[in-house]
Amino acid sequence: MAAPKQGVQTSLEFTQIDHDGLGILHKRYLGILSSQRGRASQKTLGSLLRLPQEAVRELERLLLEKEMIVYTPTGRELTVVGQNKLAGREAQPYARR
């Protein structure tokens, strides 16, 4: 029988959720936001993700909590933490792009 920590890691790998709790759609969101020069409206993100606005808002909850994005008057903005996540680096304290 696998140790609990190994079992959790195996479960996360199976569900494709990383140690920050991000799934495939969260990572796609960050990638699309990055491809839009780090800033886009919710409508644009929803269109590019092919998701309804409610689903986009649900994805954003965790990304906001993890300080990977922020809301601005012009839309959503990728933070340094989000950039580092995309680059596979450890998260740094919050700072705007």
Side-chain angles (χ1 to χ4, degrees):
M1 184 167 147
K5 188 174 182 179
Q6 291 173 330
V8 169
Q9 185 62 35
T10 301
S11 295
L12 291 174
E13 289 170 3
F14 179 75
T15 59
Q16 298 183 355
I17 295 174
D18 69 13
H19 68 278
D20 287 321
L22 273 62
I24 294 170
L25 288 175
H26 293 102
K27 294 170 193 171
R28 279 188 53 216
Y29 179 109
L30 292 174
I32 288 170
L33 189 55
S34 179
S35 74
Q36 299 296 305
R37 298 185 179 201
R39 185 176 296 150
S41 69
Q42 183 186 37
K43 186 176 179 180
T44 297
L45 289 162
S47 176
L48 293 171
L49 286 164
R50 297 185 178 143
L51 291 173
Q53 297 304 307
E54 301 81 38
V56 174
R57 280 192 294 276
E58 188 63 32
L59 288 173
E60 291 174 338
R61 287 180 51 225
L62 181 59
L63 297 172
L64 285 164
E65 180 183 313
K66 299 287 184 176
E67 298 183 339
M68 294 181 187
I69 64 167
V70 292
Y71 291 154
T72 69
T74 58
R76 279 66 173 142
E77 188 173 309
L78 188 62
T79 66
V80 171
V81 175
Q83 291 171 8
N84 287 339
K85 180 67 177 179
L86 281 173
R89 295 188 295 261
E90 201 57 37
Q92 299 295 318
Y94 168 76
R96 281 200 177 175
R97 189 176 192 312

